[in-house]
Amino acid sequence: MPRPPHVVVVGGGILGASTAAHLIRAGARVTMLAAATFADGASGRSLSWLNSSGERSRDYHYLRLLGLDRYRTWSARHPDSARFLRFDGALKWARPGQSLRETFDRERSRGYDAVWLDRDAVAARLPDVRSEAVPDEGAIFNPGEGWVDLPHLIPGLVAEAVAGGARILEHTGSVDVVVDDARVRGVRFADGQRIDADRVVLATGAGAPAQLAALGVAVPDATVPACIVVTEPLPAPVRTVLNTPRVAVRPMPDGGVSLDAGWAERSIVVGADGTLTAPAETIDGLLAEAAEVLAGQPSLTVRRIGVGPKPIPGDGEPVVGAVDAVPGLSVLFTHSGATLGLILGELVAEELVTGNPSPVLTPYRIERFSTGIVAAGADSAAWTPVSTR
């Protein structure tokens, strides 16, 4: 039998951990590198709402449904994950003067589980939601949606990789991809030490475009500053994910909630040295907005604030798979890292071990930016920053 390939996975978030675990399952030899600790980047600041909600291209909708499917499989195989991975549904409603009726019709036309609820139905079905906050029009409830807390999930994936023989290195700092004779040969640390490998996978979130640029590969980048606020536990449990015009809310394993909002992201101050700071009034505003949509209008106390870049490719679609311009290199760069984390790691690992490209990933190849191919869901070949909500 040929010797299994040695793959270095660079990145300690959900995409890196998932890829490493799936590579081990597929029989590869794996070294996984985390610049600092696991889930200390975007994965630790993600709302992690598991969904294929709203307007999606058919290809992207299908990919996200696969993502949801893999989480359900994980949940069934790991009963103890119920404390940090749940499918209790999500509720969303429109901004003043707007309507979600077309969104509802579109979701239903694709067979997506969506139910229209008026205020009374919200009060009866979702006691953790303040029904008075729901507009006259009503709201969409998606019973099959859920949430995951990635800092709880990632250690399980890493443990699985280690049990299968993976080598795990934390606090490595940034690394460079080594290319000799027009092919990837491994990675090099800042002190000059090197790890040789047959393949390298970049799953470094917002850092991926710069690392690719250093190798002569350009990827349009719409990454934005983001802010997440995590509260102390609430007196009454929250089960429903809320995506409202002024705040998004999802439960935390300890009984608190995690909050974000598009307006909050736009308020982040970027310092001269690149430091990102969320103003105090932004934090207070998120807490107030969350209290308005939760039953009983609870008093919320901050436990943790996470501020940092939110990875978003320039056309809003995932960038996944082999980088043809740099043989031996693969990349995972996407906004929806939570929903897509398990499925993208699985598909990339399968490609690396078998050598067979996944048809599911065809719309998301990096070559679309150089060939004029437009990703599924992108409406033109000119890339402009996309909405983060």
Side-chain angles (χ1 to χ4, degrees):
M1 294 290 291
R3 193 179 187 206
H6 177 213
V7 184
V8 170
V9 179
V10 186
I14 179 59
L15 295 172
S18 173
T19 302
H22 283 99
L23 281 167
I24 285 293
R25 291 182 196 176
R29 294 175 294 132
V30 176
T31 300
M32 181 181 175
L33 311 179
T37 59
F38 296 113
D40 68 339
S43 291
R45 301 187 302 270
S46 171
L47 187 70
S48 302
W49 167 31
L50 303 178
N51 75 94
S52 186
S53 179
E55 185 174 354
R56 309 281 181 190
S57 70
R58 289 192 176 275
D59 283 341
Y60 196 29
H61 179 60
Y62 177 66
L63 179 62
R64 294 176 74 94
L65 291 180
L66 292 180
L68 296 177
D69 171 77
R70 296 313 193 267
Y71 274 104
R72 292 191 176 94
T73 300
W74 175 274
S75 178
R77 292 178 177 173
H78 301 81
D80 60 334
S81 68
R83 60 193 177 89
F84 62 82
L85 170 59
R86 299 194 62 86
F87 289 94
D88 294 321
L91 187 74
K92 59 178 177 276
W93 60 79
R95 299 177 183 277
Q98 298 182 0
S99 172
L100 287 186
R101 280 292 181 180
E102 288 188 7
T103 298
F104 176 72
D105 291 342
R106 184 183 305 110
E107 290 182 353
R108 292 300 308 160
S109 71
R110 295 186 176 183
Y112 196 62
D113 196 358
V115 181
W116 192 270
L117 301 181
D118 60 21
R119 281 198 194 102
D120 291 341
V122 169
R125 187 162 183 171
L126 306 173
D128 53 343
V129 179
R130 182 172 173 261
S131 58
E132 294 87 347
V134 176
D136 293 340
E137 178 188 55
I140 299 174
F141 180 58
N142 299 111
E145 294 180 354
W147 59 274
V148 63
D149 192 64
L150 295 178
H152 281 79
L153 173 67
I154 289 170
L157 291 166
V158 173
E160 181 178 330
V162 170
R167 180 188 181 196
I168 307 296
L169 300 177
E170 295 183 79
H171 303 286
T172 65
S174 61
V175 300
D176 296 322
V177 178
V178 177
V179 179
D180 290 329
D181 297 327
R183 181 175 181 82
V184 163
R185 303 297 178 182
V187 296
R188 182 180 293 111
F189 301 101
D191 63 4
Q193 294 188 65
R194 171 172 163 169
I195 296 179
D196 293 331
D198 302 302
R199 305 282 191 276
V200 171
V201 177
L202 287 180
T204 51
Q211 290 172 299
L212 290 167
L215 298 170
V217 180
V219 175
D221 185 11
T223 294
V224 297
C227 172
I228 201 85
V229 174
V230 177
T231 76
E232 296 288 356
L234 277 63
V238 174
R239 299 176 64 88
T240 310
V241 176
L242 297 175
N243 189 12
T244 79
R246 291 291 297 173
V247 67
V249 182
R250 68 100 163 156
M252 289 289 293
D254 66 354
V257 290
S258 182
L259 315 173
D260 80 356
W263 63 266
E265 293 175 353
R266 293 187 289 273
S267 76
I268 293 173
V269 177
V270 182
D273 60 353
T275 302
L276 303 178
T277 305
E281 55 268 27
T282 294
I283 306 305
D284 292 341
L286 281 171
L287 297 176
E289 296 289 352
E292 285 296 309
V293 300
L294 294 175
Q297 296 179 283
S299 177
L300 303 176
T301 303
V302 174
R303 179 165 64 86
R304 178 173 64 87
I305 300 171
V307 183
K310 176 187 291 187
I312 306 176
D315 62 359
E317 301 288 326
V319 180
V320 185
V323 180
D324 288 350
V326 187
L329 181 67
S330 296
V331 65
L332 297 96
F333 175 47
T334 184
H335 168 36
S336 301
T339 298
L340 301 179
L342 295 182
I343 185 60
L344 290 186
E346 175 188 328
L347 295 179
V348 168
E350 184 177 18
E351 288 190 343
L352 287 169
V353 172
T354 67
N356 300 320
S358 169
V360 176
L361 296 180
T362 296
Y364 312 109
R365 304 291 179 187
I366 197 170
E367 286 71 32
R368 70 182 185 263
F369 298 115
S370 58
T371 63
I373 297 174
V374 180
D379 56 9
S380 72
W383 305 289
T384 55
V386 296
S387 169
T388 62
R389 295 300 313 143

